[in-house]
Amino acid sequence: MTNAAISVERALKRFKSRVIIEQINLTVPYGQFCGIVGANGSGKTTLLRCIAGLMIPNSGSISVLGQRLFPGPGTLPEGVGALIESPGFIGNLSGTKNLEFLLSLSSKRTQVDIASVLSSVGLSPGDRTKVRSYSLGMTQRLGIAQAIMEGPRLLLLDEPQYGLDPDGVLQIRNLLSQLHAKGTTIVMVSHQIDEVSALCDVVYEMRGGHLVLGGTSS
């Protein structure tokens, strides 16, 4: 068992003959806010999908919250929230009803103040608008809400600022800072170095499938 929230050792992922991530090593201690930046196609989202158990690496090992995913069952332990690529919701339900439905599927059966969670991401709890009529920014806010609503110990975020206006970017930045201050371990991938540097304790860069330490934020 590892003392780190995330431990990746020599992870490799290829599609046919194309190597996407190559011999990646990454350790994220509990409580750290880790940022990974890189251009589109650099492999950063593939790495996050492997950490989330959504993709199986061809070789290497990954442990999350002390539980081995690969080699192993590939099942995430409880306590992980994630927003990776485009969030999917039931279009004919409101944001509130979507979160209530997701909670009904949870094995934790935790009591969640959905109204408070929606407000924290800038959505109105009383809004009955169906999600299919949401703007891109509203859908992204709802995606962040579903990722944080059960108070995860580890939060995995793929471009969380995508589709947000400047006020939304600032609001989500403040929210993530608050979660980090409370001890949540966060890994965020983005192509926006300024946004990552403003939030993260440590920043890595993906270059052609390789992970390079980029420095720490001031």
Side-chain angles (χ1 to χ4, degrees):
M1 180 175 292
T2 176
N3 291 322
I6 296 172
S7 178
V8 180
E9 298 181 2
R10 299 181 64 83
L12 181 146
K13 180 63 181 178
R14 67 165 61 92
F15 295 106
K16 297 183 178 180
S17 61
R18 183 188 175 200
V19 175
I20 307 300
I21 59 174
E22 185 170 4
Q23 303 300 317
I24 294 292
N25 293 299
L26 173 66
T27 300
V28 181
Y30 284 101
Q32 187 179 83
F33 199 145
C34 172
I36 302 174
V37 298
N40 293 335
S42 62
K44 59 187 186 298
T45 296
T46 296
L47 175 60
L48 199 66
R49 288 176 66 85
C50 288
I51 293 172
L54 300 175
M55 188 174 287
I56 300 174
N58 295 92
S59 62
S61 67
I62 298 176
S63 296
V64 175
L65 299 182
Q67 179 173 308
R68 179 66 62 88
L69 296 187
F70 309 108
T75 302
L76 275 178
E78 289 188 353
V80 181
L83 172 63
I84 300 178
E85 297 184 319
S86 300
F89 296 105
I90 301 173
N92 63 347
L93 296 181
S94 67
T96 296
K97 291 297 183 183
N98 265 278
L99 295 191
E100 289 176 348
F101 174 73
L102 289 173
L103 277 177
S104 73
L105 302 177
S106 172
S107 60
K108 291 175 65 176
R109 296 293 188 268
T110 50
Q111 294 295 317
V112 175
D113 186 347
I114 290 178
S116 177
V117 172
L118 287 171
S119 295
S120 73
V121 299
L123 293 175
S124 172
D127 188 355
R128 298 183 179 180
T129 302
K130 292 178 173 56
V131 169
R132 66 186 175 208
S133 299
Y134 273 20
S135 66
L136 177 60
M138 292 175 68
T139 303
Q140 188 72 354
R141 289 172 189 261
L142 187 61
I144 296 169
Q146 66 79 26
I148 68 171
M149 67 178 176
E150 294 189 79
R153 297 166 61 197
L154 171 63
L155 186 58
L156 306 175
L157 298 172
D158 181 15
E159 304 280 5
Q161 72 279 7
Y162 178 69
L164 300 180
D165 58 24
D167 288 341
V169 170
L170 181 59
Q171 184 170 29
I172 298 306
R173 181 189 295 179
N174 290 337
L175 172 62
L176 296 179
S177 294
Q178 292 168 14
L179 293 172
H180 179 217
K182 293 178 180 178
T184 305
T185 306
I186 305 175
V187 177
M188 179 174 76
V189 306
S190 176
H191 66 279
Q192 297 185 13
I193 181 62
D194 291 343
E195 190 65 24
V196 171
S197 297
L199 286 166
C200 298
D201 302 318
V202 61
V203 178
Y204 296 88
E205 183 180 357
M206 288 290 293
R207 299 177 185 169
H210 295 273
L211 196 62
V212 180
L213 181 62
T216 56
S217 60
S218 60

